[in-house]
Amino acid sequence: MSDLFLGTVSQHDAGQPTPTRRSRSRQDGKARRNRQRRNRRRRSILVLIMAIGLVGGAGYVVTSIFSDFFGGLFGGSSENAEVSDYEGPGQGEATVTVASGDTGGAIGEKLVEAGVVATTSAFTKAYAANPLATQIQPGAYKLRLQMRASDAVDALLDSANRVSLKVTVTEGLSAAQIYEKIASITTIPVADLQAAAADPAAIGLPAEANGQIEGWLFPATYNVDPGATAASMLSAMVGRTVEVLNANAVPQDQWETVLIKASLVEREGKSAEDRAKIAQAIENRLDRGMRLEIDAVLAYGLGKSGTALSNGDKEVDTPFNSYRKIGLPPTPIASPGEVSIQAVLNPTPGPWIFWVTVNLETGETKFAETFDEHQKNVAELRKWEAENSK
C-alpha cells in the first residue's frame, strides 16, 4: 500500500495532469475543430449561394437578350406568348374574301388585316377546335369588326353572311379575258373556268358552237350568288347569248356565223353607226372573195394586242391570218354585244370595202370604196399618230 501511495504523490509533485484534465483538453480541441469546420461550411455555402445568384442573374440577362432576339426573329415574345382575342360580339362591318384553297392560317391573316379578329393564332386555334371549319366556302363575307375568333369561324360557316357579287363583262373581251375578270371578283379559279368550258354539255353550249366557247359568253352584268360554280357561271352567260340570238330572230343554223361577224364588228367599230357600216364592208369583201385583212383577227390568232403587230406577223400561217386566208375566221374572236349583233343583221347599205380609224382617241372611222381613197385615209391616221406619239 505504501508503494502505491508514494508513487501517486510523486506524480502530483512532478506537475503531470490528472486523467480528468487531459480528457477535458482533448474535448476542447475537438470542439474548436468542429466550430472551424462549421464556419468553413457556412462560408462555402454562402459562396455557393452568391455564385448561384450571380449565375442566375447572368442567366436571366442572357435569357432576356436571346428571348428578345429570337422573339423578334420569329415574330413572338414572352409578352405575346398568350393568344390575344377580342371579347366580342364586335361592331361595325368589314368584307373579307376567302379564296379557294385558303388554309385556316391564310384566312386568319386576312381577318387580322381587316380588323375582324385580334390575332392569327386566336383564329387558327378556334379554326382547329371547330370540326366544321374545313367546310368554309370561298367567297366574300360581311363580318363584324373585333369579333371573338370562335364567333368569326361560326360566321364564316353561315351562308347568310356571304355577299352576292356582281360581275360586269364588257363587250369585246375574249374568253380568256373574261375568265380573268370572273376570277378576280368571285375567286372562282381560272383553271376551273377553263375546265368547265371544255365540257360543252355542262354549260349548255349549243352544238352550233362546235365545242368552242369563244364568242358565246354574253357581255352583261351578272349577280353571282353564294355557291356559284365555274359551270353555273359560264352556263348563265351562254344562256344569255342564246336568249339574245332568239330575241333578234337569228336562225339557229346561223348562230355561229352571226357571232363570228359580230365579234369582228365589235373589235373594229366604236359607234353603232360605224359598226353597221363595217358589217356591210365585211359582207362586200366576202361577196367579192377578198381577204378580210383585219388586224384584230390576226392579233387574236397570235395571242397579241392589235398595237403589237408587225409586218412579219402577216406572214405567220395561222387559221386566223386574215391577210393570207379568204373568208371568216374559224371562231369568234371576242364576245359581241347586242348592238354588234344587230349591226350584222341590219348593215347599212353601201359600196365600202375599206375602213380605217383615223383618230384612235375618238374612234372616228372613215370608209372608202377604192384603194386610193383608202390610202388617203391611212395617211390621215399616220399624221394623227405622229402628232400624238409623245
Side-chain angles (χ1 to χ4, degrees), residues 300-318:
Y300 176 85
L302 296 174
K304 292 184 173 184
S305 68
T307 57
L309 291 174
S310 66
N311 287 329
D313 290 331
K314 297 178 181 179
E315 304 304 320
V316 180
D317 187 16
T318 77

Side-chain angles (χ1 to χ4, degrees), residues 78-266:
S78 58
E79 293 180 357
N80 296 323
E82 294 184 4
V83 173
S84 176
D85 197 1
Y86 292 128
E87 294 183 1
Q91 58 186 351
E93 189 177 85
T95 300
V96 178
T97 300
V98 176
S100 178
D102 274 357
T103 62
I107 298 172
E109 290 176 0
K110 292 179 180 180
L111 295 176
V112 170
E113 184 177 354
V116 174
V117 299
T119 63
T120 302
S121 297
F123 181 81
T124 53
K125 283 193 173 184
Y127 184 95
N130 191 322
L132 299 178
T134 56
Q135 298 180 21
I136 294 174
Q137 297 297 308
Y141 294 81
K142 283 194 179 298
L143 305 170
R144 288 179 177 272
L145 297 170
Q146 299 185 355
M147 296 180 71
R148 185 182 295 108
S150 58
D151 291 343
V153 175
D154 292 337
L156 291 170
L157 287 167
D158 188 350
S159 60
N161 293 318
R162 292 190 66 183
V163 181
S164 179
L165 303 173
K166 292 183 182 294
V167 177
T168 298
V169 176
T170 55
E171 293 86 350
L173 296 182
S174 66
Q177 291 171 321
I178 292 172
Y179 298 156
E180 293 288 348
K181 180 76 171 181
I182 294 172
S184 68
I185 297 175
T186 68
T187 72
I188 297 174
V190 170
D192 288 2
L193 294 163
Q194 293 171 333
D199 187 354
I203 60 175
L205 190 65
E208 288 74 21
N210 300 313
Q212 301 297 316
I213 198 172
E214 193 69 80
W216 286 86
L217 302 175
F218 194 78
T221 297
Y222 298 87
N223 289 319
V224 184
D225 296 324
T229 63
S232 66
M233 188 74 199
L234 299 186
S235 178
M237 301 178 78
V238 170
R240 181 72 179 124
T241 297
V242 172
E243 289 177 6
V244 171
L245 292 171
N246 283 328
N248 285 276
V250 180
Q252 188 164 342
D253 63 351
Q254 293 295 308
W255 282 358
E256 180 74 355
T257 299
V258 169
L259 288 176
I260 291 174
K261 292 179 179 178
S263 72
L264 307 184
V265 169
E266 187 71 58

